[in-house]
Amino acid sequence: ADFGNVSLSGNMYTPGFGSIENKVNERKKETLKQYDISSTLELGKFIPQDYNVHIPMYVGYSEIFVTPQFNPLDPDLPLAPMLKDPEVSKRIRDSLRFITQDYTRRKSINFTNVKKDKGKDSKKSHIYDIENWSATYSYSEFYKRNTMIEFNHLKDYHGGLMYTYAPQPKNIKPFDKIKFLQPKYFQLIKDINFYLYPNKIGFSTNVDREYTTNKTRNTTGGEVLILPTYNKRFNMTRNYDFNFDITKGLKLSFNAMNQERILEPDGAVTDATIDTMKRELFDRIKKTQYNQQTNLTYTIPINKLPMLDFATANVGYGATYNWTHSPLFDTQKDKEGNVIHKDTLGNIITNSRS
């Protein structure tokens, strides 16, 4: 249990399965076989404990086989006798089983929040510490086929790198120990304080890519050309965080988010398209959205005055800025026939203050 755990589950039923109160037409009309195996492991256990490295890994794999009782291509005939008919060639029987069976497969692997913790003897954080970094990677795959779908194949990739530096700066009070400022009448001056550096600096980069191929099966019996379709999504998001408590009462925060889209070549992923991506990666990165927010709050020390020690007062200022890229339209081609991604509309900029 200290290293990891493994879980395995399964499920199966055959035609006619159901509860005692189910009518005949309410009972199952297919054979289902399903299994699911998953495991959570701490790979950091293979590294000496003094290094305090954590590498949590999750892997999962599952398959579902659904064989109908009746032939979906000819619903009046049971499927099982056709799959066992010795007069039908094995190649045709295997092809019929493959087409009529509803099959689903899922698999995934995740490395979440891979990092190194500080040791027991570490007392102070530094901006250059490796412990400020963490990484995440995941891959999942989904595949499905049945009578109507020849294949539906989805691959999803995610990678992330995060940096967070959150020190505890010392509060400096230059007049705190001056004797003649000790009476409460001088508390406003006595409590003057400040911090020398921010209390949080952070940024992260996340890359998400999804690639789906889908093809509908030809069930018409004729020669119909059906081409596969492709759906691609390749995004990169960067986040920035900055918090600075200038004094105990004056606090500044800044957050920003930048989104970019990486334009992949049209069609299936091949060796040629991979070479194109490697060669033109930076040219294909298009900024799509940028948002930032700034907040400044100040607690007015009105309660430091002897006659107003019961009162409180706060003031704040906030500002936002948003930029959104116009839609990209493939309306032009160069002399070699390559598509030119051209902006046909203007970008959108909004801002606010409060």
Side-chain angles (χ1 to χ4, degrees):
D2 194 29
F3 170 68
N5 59 74
V6 179
S7 62
L8 177 65
S9 63
N11 183 24
M12 178 180 176
Y13 60 74
T14 57
F17 178 80
S19 59
I20 192 171
E21 67 272 9
N22 287 142
K23 299 178 182 179
V24 175
N25 61 349
E26 295 176 342
R27 294 178 177 271
K28 302 297 183 182
K29 296 181 178 60
E30 66 275 341
T31 298
L32 179 140
K33 298 178 182 179
Q34 174 185 0
Y35 72 91
D36 189 324
I37 183 171
S38 61
S39 177
T40 302
L41 305 173
E42 175 52 75
L43 301 182
K45 297 295 181 179
F46 290 104
I47 301 174
Q49 189 175 0
D50 294 341
Y51 288 94
N52 297 306
V53 176
H54 297 279
I55 310 176
M57 182 184 75
Y58 169 84
V59 293
Y61 188 89
S62 68
E63 285 185 307
I64 304 175
F65 304 85
V66 180
T67 305
Q69 183 180 5
F70 296 93
N71 186 352
L73 303 176
D74 194 353
D76 294 330
L77 298 177
L79 181 61
M82 301 178 65
L83 298 177
K84 298 178 182 179
D85 191 351
E87 297 183 359
V88 180
S89 66
K90 185 177 183 302
R91 181 181 63 82
I92 295 178
R93 282 182 289 158
D94 291 343
S95 177
L96 180 61
R97 180 183 292 106
F98 185 85
I99 293 174
T100 57
Q101 187 181 64
D102 192 320
Y103 172 75
T104 303
R105 181 186 69 233
R106 292 181 174 88
K107 58 183 179 180
S108 62
I109 181 170
N110 300 335
F111 295 90
T112 304
N113 198 25
V114 177
K115 63 178 181 177
K116 179 183 182 302
D117 288 336
K118 287 186 174 296
K120 296 181 180 180
D121 299 332
S122 299
K123 298 181 180 180
K124 188 176 180 180
S125 298
H126 303 89
I127 196 170
Y128 51 81
D129 288 342
I130 190 66
E131 291 83 359
N132 299 334
W133 295 86
S134 63
T136 297
Y137 171 80
S138 66
Y139 169 78
S140 63
E141 184 177 334
F142 172 85
Y143 176 83
K144 185 178 182 65
R145 58 171 168 82
N146 54 34
T147 308
M148 304 304 296
I149 301 174
E150 187 169 335
F151 59 82
N152 181 15
H153 198 183
L154 182 149
K155 295 182 179 180
D156 187 86
Y157 307 83
H158 171 77
L161 186 64
M162 179 182 294
Y163 173 87
T164 302
Y165 175 59
Q168 297 180 346
K170 182 180 179 180
N171 183 252
I172 298 176
K173 296 182 177 180
F175 307 118
D176 186 47
K177 297 182 179 181
I178 298 179
K179 293 184 178 181
F180 74 88
L181 295 178
Q182 297 305 314
K184 64 180 181 178
Y185 299 100
F186 300 104
Q187 188 174 3
L188 187 63
I189 300 175
K190 173 180 172 291
D191 288 346
I192 291 176
N193 65 94
F194 60 90
Y195 296 93
L196 291 177
Y197 49 91
N199 57 313
K200 182 180 181 181
I201 300 174
F203 62 86
S204 64
T205 299
N206 294 284
V207 179
D208 295 280
R209 181 177 182 267
E210 181 180 299
Y211 175 65
T212 305
T213 59
N214 184 79
K215 186 178 181 181
T216 303
R217 191 183 301 278
N218 179 17
T219 58
T220 63
E223 294 185 2
V224 179
L225 178 61
I226 299 178
L227 298 176
T229 59
Y230 304 93
N231 182 33
K232 302 176 183 180
R233 177 177 57 85
F234 201 166
N235 296 331
M236 181 165 59
T237 304
R238 296 196 298 270
N239 295 283
Y240 307 90
D241 294 312
F242 178 82
N243 293 342
F244 191 2
D245 293 351
I246 302 172
T247 69
K248 287 185 176 180
L250 182 61
K251 299 182 179 182
L252 171 68
S253 66
F254 174 82
N255 308 98
M257 188 256 314
N258 183 77
Q259 289 185 336
E260 295 173 325
R261 182 181 178 185
I262 302 173
L263 303 175
E264 296 189 64
D266 295 335
V269 174
T270 62
D271 292 339
T273 59
I274 293 175
D275 291 339
T276 301
M277 285 294 296
K278 291 179 179 179
R279 186 173 60 255
E280 304 175 1
L281 178 62
F282 293 102
D283 294 334
R284 290 179 172 271
I285 298 177
K286 304 295 181 182
K287 193 184 303 296
T288 58
Q289 192 173 20
Y290 174 80
N291 302 320
Q292 73 174 39
Q293 182 176 1
T294 304
N295 290 298
L296 184 66
T297 60
Y298 180 56
T299 302
I300 302 174
I302 191 173
N303 60 335
K304 306 295 182 180
L305 301 176
M307 301 296 295
L308 297 173
D309 55 357
F310 61 90
T312 58
N314 297 279
V315 63
Y317 172 81
T320 63
Y321 172 82
N322 304 297
W323 178 89
T324 304
H325 197 289
S326 63
L328 293 174
F329 292 89
D330 302 338
T331 56
Q332 295 184 2
K333 294 185 178 181
D334 58 20
K335 296 180 180 180
E336 298 178 355
N338 299 318
V339 174
I340 300 175
H341 299 282
K342 183 180 179 182
D343 302 337
T344 59
L345 300 173
N347 304 325
I348 300 174
I349 296 177
T350 60
N351 63 74
S352 65
R353 290 179 293 176
S354 61

